[in-house]
Amino acid sequence: IVRESCATGSVATVVSAMAGITDELVAVGDAAARGEDTDERVAAIRLRHRIAADDLLTGAEASSVATHVDATIEELERLLQGTSLVGECSPRTRDRILSCGERMSARLLAAALRSLGAPAEFCDARELIVTDEAFGNAAVEMDATRSKIRSHFSGLGSTQVVTGFIATGPSGATTTLGRGGSDYTASLLGAALDAECIEIWTDV
């Protein structure tokens, strides 16, 4: 769908985490806070993304995505270890944990598009969308966000594959926009860029 759209004009694509991953990340964060062992569940998350990369990609692209997936999983493991030590998954930590899903998914799609001949780049929405620090359901600072989006996309010739749902608060902490946040991310991009349309594809 994205590749065909790229042939008709400039396209930005916003992606959510793979199906079920956000719920599983919530669950492993809660499990870590209870002091439970999360190693097997985290390994399953890693394996699912590595299998997807192997199915979609070959060569350097497969290797690059695998490296990014591994690095993201290592970050997740550190966050869960900290959560276990303090016995609490704070809203701030939960948002950072949840960001892992979108970041891995967007990396996969960008690489898959490149493998199909479409110029595509991973784009972390935390560099574009500015919010307050109401973790879990942050409010967007519209003027700052519009300025960052327009600056980032100015003169770009490649399709940006943007992480949905996640943003950055004033202190630099990762925030999330609440459930449905990827649709919101797409709407923010569309409005800031004066897009002709926003298409939302969903599995429900």
Side-chain angles (χ1 to χ4, degrees), residues 26 68 86 105 174:
V26 170
H68 285 296
V86 300
S105 177
T174 296

Side-chain angles (χ1 to χ4, degrees), residues 117-130:
E121 294 180 347
F122 168 81
C123 177
D124 192 331
R126 293 178 298 178
E127 298 178 5
L128 305 180
I129 299 176
V130 182

Side-chain angles (χ1 to χ4, degrees), residues 146-163:
R146 184 179 299 109
S147 176
K148 282 180 173 286
I149 290 172
R150 294 180 73 88
S151 175
H152 176 79
F153 280 86
S154 177
L156 281 178
S158 60
T159 295
Q160 299 293 288
V161 181
V162 185
T163 54

